[in-house]
Amino acid sequence: MARQKGIIKLKGTIGDITFYKTKDGHLAREKGGVDASRIKNDPSFQRTRENNAEFGRAGKAGKILRTALRSLLINSADGKMVGRLTQAMVKVIQADMTSLRGLRNVIDGEAELLSGFEFNIQGKLGTSLFAPFVGAIDRVTGSITVDLDVFIPANMIVAPSGTTHYKIISAGAEIDFEEETFVEAHSETTILPWDAIPTVAISQINMVTPASTKPLFLALGLEFYQEVNGQMYSLKNGAYNPLSLVAVSGL
């Protein structure tokens, strides 16, 4: 892959060179690769087929998790989040110590490796929220909760320039990666002023299926707002809103 320079930027294919535009600029690469039928049937590509199968499984797992958390992700994800989540899912699958290569999966892997995953690298929860919180997953009751004691927003929330208000959001998700289904519940505070006045204690409860045997996830995030003439606007269209998986129970 090469980067195009000069005034005129090309798009399309000339000979064996393909020119295209990405978020990283105008690039060029040489056409090539192994014939698809050979990859599918040649014994020497067995490892490639196994890797492709597991990568595809990781992609599907990432998609169902994103779908479950869509109500929060609409305003809290960066442009490369999908790829980053797929790579994280690959690590979860590779932690499967019981299945054969090519058959490894999320259920037999280590879903807990997703704990701490940041959906927006432009605004990470770990560098935005410093108020102590307790996140908990109770499989018996199906209760996925987050609790924050009283705190001073201006001291404990690092907000982007222009912020006047904020909201705390959370979600609990129960994911069946085999059937590609989910149960999700989410909570949010009202829009609160980002000032030096202490908050009240905040408790959010997100209920999923009691006694579930599926992986459970707790996501926690912030949304920033700017007040203009009495109206609230999502700050910079949510570009700096953090959202993170703060607890995961893979069973």
Side-chain angles (χ1 to χ4, degrees), residues 20-98:
Y20 58 102
K21 181 180 179 181
T22 71
K23 292 182 179 180
D24 298 318
H26 290 78
L27 307 177
R29 64 185 175 192
E30 184 177 4
K31 293 198 303 180
V34 180
D35 183 80
S37 62
R38 184 181 175 193
I39 293 177
K40 184 177 180 180
N41 300 297
D42 193 328
S44 63
F45 285 92
Q46 177 64 25
R47 290 292 174 262
T48 300
R49 290 192 291 274
E50 294 169 351
N51 292 338
N52 288 346
E54 293 183 353
F55 186 80
R57 200 169 293 124
K60 288 183 178 180
K63 181 179 180 180
I64 188 63
L65 179 58
R66 297 196 312 273
T67 302
L69 298 176
R70 180 172 172 75
S71 60
L72 277 63
L73 285 175
I74 289 175
N75 295 317
S76 306
D78 66 79
K80 296 184 178 180
M81 180 272 291
V82 173
R84 292 191 299 105
L85 182 57
T86 299
Q87 290 299 326
M89 283 293 186
V90 168
K91 293 180 180 179
V92 170
I93 288 173
Q94 289 176 339
D96 177 356
M97 295 290 104
T98 60

Side-chain angles (χ1 to χ4, degrees), residues 8-233:
I8 300 176
K9 299 299 189 296
L10 302 176
K11 293 178 67 176
T13 301
I14 300 177
D16 291 331
I17 306 298
T18 299
F19 302 88
Y20 58 102
K21 181 180 179 181
T22 71
K23 292 182 179 180
D24 298 318
H26 290 78
L27 307 177
R29 64 185 175 192
E30 184 177 4
K31 293 198 303 180
V34 180
D35 183 80
S37 62
R38 184 181 175 193
I39 293 177
K40 184 177 180 180
N41 300 297
D42 193 328
S44 63
F45 285 92
Q46 177 64 25
R47 290 292 174 262
T48 300
R49 290 192 291 274
E50 294 169 351
N51 292 338
N52 288 346
E54 293 183 353
F55 186 80
R57 200 169 293 124
K60 288 183 178 180
K63 181 179 180 180
I64 188 63
L65 179 58
R66 297 196 312 273
T67 302
L69 298 176
R70 180 172 172 75
S71 60
L72 277 63
L73 285 175
I74 289 175
N75 295 317
S76 306
D78 66 79
K80 296 184 178 180
M81 180 272 291
V82 173
R84 292 191 299 105
L85 182 57
T86 299
Q87 290 299 326
M89 283 293 186
V90 168
K91 293 180 180 179
V92 170
I93 288 173
Q94 289 176 339
D96 177 356
M97 295 290 104
T98 60
S99 305
L100 297 175
R101 278 187 59 126
L103 299 176
R104 293 180 294 186
N105 58 84
V106 174
I107 300 301
D108 296 316
E110 294 292 336
E112 287 83 359
L113 292 174
L114 295 172
S115 182
F117 181 83
E118 298 277 2
F119 289 95
N120 187 4
I121 57 175
Q122 298 181 79
K124 297 180 180 180
L125 186 68
T127 56
S128 300
L129 179 64
F130 290 91
F133 65 86
V134 176
I137 296 175
D138 187 331
R139 281 192 170 274
V140 175
T141 64
S143 176
I144 300 179
T145 61
V146 62
D147 294 285
L148 296 91
D149 289 332
V150 174
F151 66 93
I152 297 175
N155 293 345
M156 304 306 285
I157 293 177
V158 177
S161 177
T163 297
T164 61
H165 291 72
Y166 71 97
K167 179 191 293 184
I168 293 177
I169 59 176
S170 69
E174 170 193 356
I175 309 293
D176 186 332
F177 289 105
E178 294 177 323
E179 298 297 326
E180 298 184 23
T181 60
F182 63 87
V183 176
E184 183 270 352
H186 56 272
S187 307
E188 60 182 38
T189 63
T190 58
I191 296 178
L192 304 169
W194 184 62
D195 56 20
I197 300 175
T199 67
V200 298
I202 297 171
S203 180
Q204 297 185 344
I205 303 174
N206 305 295
M207 299 298 300
V208 295
T209 307
S212 172
T213 59
K214 309 302 181 184
L216 303 179
F217 300 84
L218 170 60
L220 176 65
L222 294 167
E223 292 184 357
F224 297 114
Y225 296 87
Q226 184 175 70
E227 183 178 13
V228 179
N229 297 329
Q231 296 294 317
M232 295 294 176
Y233 298 90

